[in-house]
């Protein structure tokens, strides 16, 4: 079966109905379903309360049921019909409230009368229900102010719970790594949730089927923000030694746009590889956003001290499409064609990035070129220019720039830059 079709169907029919959050059974179930397709996916966990940089892993949240019943005993809001009806991380409650008090906890979007909004309150104790504006109007019209409602949220916070995430590594010829990061913390939404895991599954299937991959690929499925912070706090040393770039995948399944958010300094090998991929795939009208418009885990990966220069790859950029964070973000918006487009760009960019040479200077300060016979001790002009080129190359060979970028920086044709690279490599001045 076509791999896009296979993982699209798993997303649509099996993963979509699950209530996920940053912790809890729904996220674990999602990871287990992915693992059933990829047995070498490792499901790992970090206990609640663990300090991760400036944060603490929150208590594990699970919800059994949540609803609002009217005075006739009729459920007028029901979490079991659509898990978006409940605010994520709602505290438990079992109360009789009048209409006004109830409405204090009801969220809706006047501008999108059919849409149930998605809300969460991870770090502030709250409870709430989300309904469409049409439902809200019914509430206004069908009930009097002093009508009573029974509000039930059967949620639990386990302070000894855990945060789960998934990790799959495809070993390459080189130990140098590319990170593909996507999230598994949103409830029933398609583009801003399942498109990332679907495209990641397509990528894992594709790269596992290859005889060899140049660089090692590290796929992770984490809850957004707290998950990437936790992952970095656990793996930073390793990643600092091996990571050369990668992508955050979010909203990669609609067929409206191709877009990406550049890494902070806009010139990383990962940025270059996306642009090259668009070119190769003949995608001309893509949208490119500055890092100031970041939104997903690239926020963490580009932070000072982390500095991984990882862009966000998407179809429509999160927040910029009207279905975003509502019940309208479903599998009508996310299509096989949309997923195929996201998959093709990601696959091509990873392949290009995997083939890139990213030289790293092995000597602190300038090496003494004279003793290696690379510097003309008599300073004749022609040779001076050549050794100057070596030195220029070495200045930019900081493990962050591709050969192409170094060629641009030192204003020397790529073919000659390559020759300089091989020469310096021969003399063990770079790796
Ligand atoms: Zn989101």
């Amino acid at each position: 079966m076509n791999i896009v079709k296979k993982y699209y169907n798993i997303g649509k029919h099996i993963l979509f109905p699950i209530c996920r959050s940053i912790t809890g059974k729904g996220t674990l179930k999602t990871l287990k379903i992915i693992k059933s397709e990829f047995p070498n996916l490792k499901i790992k966990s970090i206990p609640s309360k663990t300090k991760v940089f400036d944060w603490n892993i929150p208590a594990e949240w699970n919800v059994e049921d949540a609803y609002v019943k009217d005075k006739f005993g009729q459920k007028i809001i029901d979490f079991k019909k659509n898990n978006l009806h409940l605010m994520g991380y709602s505290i438990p409650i079992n109360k009789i409230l009048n209409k006004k008090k109830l409405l204090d906890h009801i969220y809706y979007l006047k501008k999108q009368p059919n849409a149930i909004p998605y809300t969460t309150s991870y770090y502030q104790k709250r409870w709430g229900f989300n309904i469409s504006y049409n439902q809200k109007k019914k509430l206004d019209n069908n009930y009097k102010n002093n009508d009573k409602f029974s509000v039930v949220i059967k949620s639990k916070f386990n302070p000894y719970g855990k945060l789960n995430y998934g990790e799959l590594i495809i070993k390459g010829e080189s130990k140098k790594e590319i990170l593909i990061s996507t999230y598994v913390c949103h409830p029933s939404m398609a583009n801003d949730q399942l498109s990332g895991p679907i495209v990641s599954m397509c990528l894992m299937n594709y790269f596992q089927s290859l005889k060899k991959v140049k660089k090692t690929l590290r796929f992770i499925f984490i809850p957004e923000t707290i998950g990437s912070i936790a992952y970095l706090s656990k793996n930073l040393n390793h990643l600092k030694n091996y990571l050369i770039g990668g992508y955050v995948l979010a909203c990669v399944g609609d067929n409206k746009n191709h877009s990406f958010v550049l890494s902070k300094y806009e010139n990383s090998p990962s940025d270059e590889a996306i642009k090259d991929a668009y070119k190769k795939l003949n995608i001309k009208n893509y949208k490119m956003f500055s890092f100031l418009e970041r939104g997903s885990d690239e926020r963490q990966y580009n932070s000072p001290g982390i500095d991984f220069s990882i862009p966000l790859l998407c179809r429509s950029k999160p927040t910029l499409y009207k279905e975003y964070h509502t019940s309208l973000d479903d599998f009508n918006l996310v299509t096989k064609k949309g997923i195929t487009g996201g998959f093709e760009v990601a696959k091509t960019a990873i392949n290009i990035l995997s083939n890139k040479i990213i030289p790293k200077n092995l000597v602190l300060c300038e090496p003494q070129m004279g003793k290696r016979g690379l510097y003309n001790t008599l300073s004749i002009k022609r040779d001076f220019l050549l050794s100057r080129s070596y030195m220029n190359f070495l200045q930019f060979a900081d493990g962050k720039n591709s050969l192409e970028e170094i060629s641009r920086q030192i204003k020397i044709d790529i073919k000659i830059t390559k020759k300089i690279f091989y020469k310096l490599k021969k003399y063990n001045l770079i790796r």
Side-chain angles (χ1 to χ4, degrees):
M1 202 197 317
N2 170 314
I3 58 173
V4 167
K5 194 173 162 193
K6 179 179 178 188
Y7 300 120
Y8 180 88
N9 284 335
I10 290 174
K12 182 174 177 177
H13 301 295
I14 303 175
L15 297 174
F16 188 72
I18 299 172
C19 180
R20 280 163 291 266
S21 188
I22 52 174
T23 63
K25 288 174 191 157
T27 302
L28 184 59
K29 191 173 171 189
T30 301
L31 292 169
K32 283 182 175 166
I33 291 163
I34 299 172
K35 189 176 169 65
S36 70
E37 292 298 318
F38 298 90
N40 50 347
L41 179 92
K42 289 204 171 96
I43 298 177
K44 299 187 172 180
S45 64
I46 304 179
S48 297
K49 295 183 183 170
T50 306
K51 190 165 166 57
V52 289
F53 297 140
D54 199 39
W55 299 60
N56 290 296
I57 303 294
E60 182 178 327
W61 181 73
N62 282 296
V63 51
E64 196 187 306
D65 202 1
Y67 54 82
V68 175
K69 271 184 186 170
D70 68 8
K71 59 184 175 182
F72 308 109
Q74 194 154 344
K75 278 186 189 172
I76 56 163
I77 307 172
D78 188 356
F79 164 79
K80 287 191 170 161
K81 279 196 177 156
N82 189 327
N83 56 39
L84 286 170
H85 280 312
L86 182 66
M87 174 184 281
Y89 263 68
S90 277
I91 54 171
I93 186 168
N94 190 346
K95 265 188 181 165
I96 305 291
L97 296 175
N98 67 24
K99 191 166 113 182
K100 189 176 174 299
K101 280 263 153 52
L102 172 65
L103 283 175
D104 286 344
H105 295 269
I106 299 283
Y107 301 84
Y108 52 89
L109 298 165
K110 220 171 172 175
K111 281 188 182 158
Q112 286 174 283
N114 289 321
I116 306 166
Y118 166 51
T119 63
T120 60
S121 186
Y122 299 133
Y123 300 101
Q124 179 123 24
K125 289 205 167 183
R126 273 201 189 95
W127 66 270
F129 284 94
N130 308 308
I131 58 175
S132 69
Y133 184 58
N134 288 338
Q135 253 179 306
K136 153 77 168 59
K137 280 194 291 191
K138 272 191 198 163
L139 242 173
D140 287 337
N141 298 335
N142 297 354
Y143 301 95
K144 293 187 213 102
N145 281 336
N146 56 358
D147 275 347
K148 297 282 191 280
F149 296 86
S150 153
V151 183
V152 173
I153 300 175
K154 292 181 185 168
S155 63
K156 274 189 188 139
F157 289 84
N158 182 358
Y160 304 102
K162 50 197 172 186
L163 173 148
N164 292 293
Y165 64 91
E167 179 188 80
L168 182 145
I169 290 165
I170 302 175
K171 281 218 167 91
E173 294 173 314
S174 158
K175 279 186 173 174
K176 291 288 168 190
E177 293 188 5
I178 295 171
L179 177 73
I180 318 299
S181 173
T182 196
Y183 51 87
V184 279
C185 56
H186 290 49
S188 296
M189 286 183 290
N191 208 22
D192 185 24
Q193 177 45 80
L194 293 169
S195 68
I198 293 170
V199 168
S200 287
M201 285 192 279
C202 295
L203 291 167
M204 294 191 304
N205 178 307
Y206 166 79
F207 284 106
Q208 278 188 339
S209 73
L210 296 181
K211 278 213 183 81
K212 55 181 183 181
V213 190
K214 273 247 166 82
K215 294 194 174 78
T216 295
L217 304 180
R218 176 180 291 262
F219 288 88
I220 60 172
F221 298 81
I222 51 175
E224 224 174 3
T225 309
I226 186 71
S228 52
I229 292 170
Y231 192 82
L232 287 168
S233 84
K234 277 189 88 169
N235 297 286
L236 189 60
N237 279 344
H238 175 89
L239 295 173
K240 279 277 183 194
N241 285 327
Y242 296 105
L243 199 64
I244 59 108
Y247 300 104
V248 173
L249 302 180
C251 304
V252 274
D254 64 283
N255 201 32
K256 293 181 184 172
N257 295 302
H258 281 283
S259 40
F260 78 109
V261 176
L262 287 148
S263 72
K264 192 159 52 190
Y265 296 108
E266 307 195 345
N267 63 350
S268 75
S270 313
D271 293 318
E272 275 175 19
I274 297 186
K275 289 185 228 168
D276 292 348
Y278 288 142
K279 209 174 188 180
K280 198 169 175 192
L281 297 168
N282 208 15
I283 296 166
K284 290 190 180 107
N285 51 349
Y286 61 83
K287 292 180 180 166
M288 196 163 75
F289 296 91
S290 111
F291 187 68
L292 299 177
E293 296 183 71
R294 66 197 176 280
S296 189
D297 284 319
E298 73 281 5
R299 297 177 351 252
Q300 317 310 332
Y301 300 134
N302 287 272
S303 292
I306 307 292
D307 303 313
F308 288 138
S309 301
I310 286 180
L312 166 70
L313 187 61
C314 28
R315 297 292 316 253
S316 284
K317 190 178 128 14
T319 74
L320 292 188
Y321 59 97
K322 64 179 193 303
E323 299 88 349
Y324 174 75
H325 274 197
T326 74
S327 55
L328 304 180
D329 185 343
D330 60 15
F331 278 94
N332 292 314
L333 174 71
V334 170
T335 57
K336 281 179 210 132
K337 208 172 168 192
I339 292 283
T340 305
F343 170 48
E344 287 299 327
V345 173
K347 181 178 89 179
T348 310
I350 294 166
N351 267 324
I352 292 170
L353 182 58
S354 185
N355 284 311
K356 272 192 191 294
I357 297 172
I358 300 160
K360 175 108 168 64
N361 195 332
L362 291 171
V363 177
L364 289 176
C365 294
E366 290 183 333
Q368 197 189 347
M369 301 299 255
K371 72 179 184 193
R372 295 173 170 88
L374 289 169
Y375 192 82
N376 182 298
T377 43
L378 281 172
S379 261
I380 291 169
K381 199 178 175 197
R382 193 190 70 96
D383 289 350
F384 171 77
L385 285 176
L386 183 64
S387 49
R388 186 78 205 197
S389 307
Y390 288 146
M391 292 318 224
N392 282 346
F393 186 107
L394 287 170
Q395 284 289 351
F396 291 94
D398 56 4
K400 294 202 161 83
N401 297 313
S402 66
L403 274 189
E404 291 80 5
E405 178 63 18
I406 294 177
S407 148
R408 274 192 289 273
Q409 292 284 353
I410 67 176
K411 301 185 170 57
I412 289 178
D413 176 79
I414 181 72
K415 275 187 191 152
I416 297 174
T417 307
K418 247 181 206 166
K419 277 188 185 159
I420 297 175
F421 165 73
Y422 286 113
K423 182 97 178 218
L424 293 172
K425 200 170 171 231
K426 204 176 117 191
Y427 283 85
N428 284 324
L429 289 170
I430 49 168
R431 63 156 196 251

